[in-house]
Amino acid sequence: QVQFVESGGGLVQPGGSLRLSCVGSGTFFSAYTMGWYRQAPGKQRELVATISRSGRGNYTDSAKGRFTISRDNAGKMVYLQMNSLKPEDTAVYYCNRNPADINRWGQGTQVTVSS
């Protein structure tokens, strides 16, 4: 199965911003709730935010007020705008369906928040 492909990560100072992008595939992309996940060193992968088929976003407490998830169904894209980044946001970020499809995990994109 075709995996999702994430991009947009990088090194940013605390308080900075990044916009992550994810390109999907498949005929029924718009039919799925999508999510952004992250995995920090030594920790399990965790959910950060989800977006419904209609574009309604939901956020974990760590992301609420700082991150914004959006999607472009025609382009099969999902985005994560991250503002006011903190060192604890450092992780590899992934997108996937929600619930996640274990066969579609991509390589992720590294986000490092450090001064």
Side-chain angles (χ1 to χ4, degrees):
Q1 293 183 354
V2 179
Q3 298 169 330
F4 294 103
V5 179
E6 302 90 352
S7 63
L11 173 63
V12 63
Q13 292 187 342
S17 298
L18 283 173
R19 188 190 193 215
L20 306 184
S21 299
C22 168
V23 58
S25 64
T27 306
F28 303 107
F29 175 85
S30 62
Y32 294 94
T33 293
M34 293 295 297
W36 279 98
Y37 304 77
R38 69 185 181 187
Q39 186 167 19
K43 296 187 176 181
Q44 289 190 337
R45 187 151 37 196
E46 64 176 0
L47 181 66
V48 175
T50 63
I51 186 164
S52 69
R53 293 174 294 174
S54 62
R56 181 172 183 174
N58 281 287
Y59 305 89
T60 59
D61 287 344
S62 62
K64 204 170 294 182
R66 300 188 299 127
F67 295 0
T68 303
I69 189 170
S70 60
R71 69 189 296 166
D72 169 11
N73 286 332
K76 300 181 181 179
M77 299 291 294
V78 183
Y79 304 98
L80 187 68
Q81 176 67 43
M82 305 188 296
N83 299 325
S84 302
L85 283 161
K86 305 174 182 180
E88 51 264 43
D89 294 317
T90 295
V92 179
Y93 284 71
Y94 305 86
C95 73
N96 203 322
R97 296 172 180 171
N98 181 257
D101 181 336
I102 62 171
N103 295 312
R104 290 182 180 266
W105 289 113
Q107 295 299 308
T109 185
Q110 175 71 48
V111 172
T112 303
V113 185
S114 175
S115 55

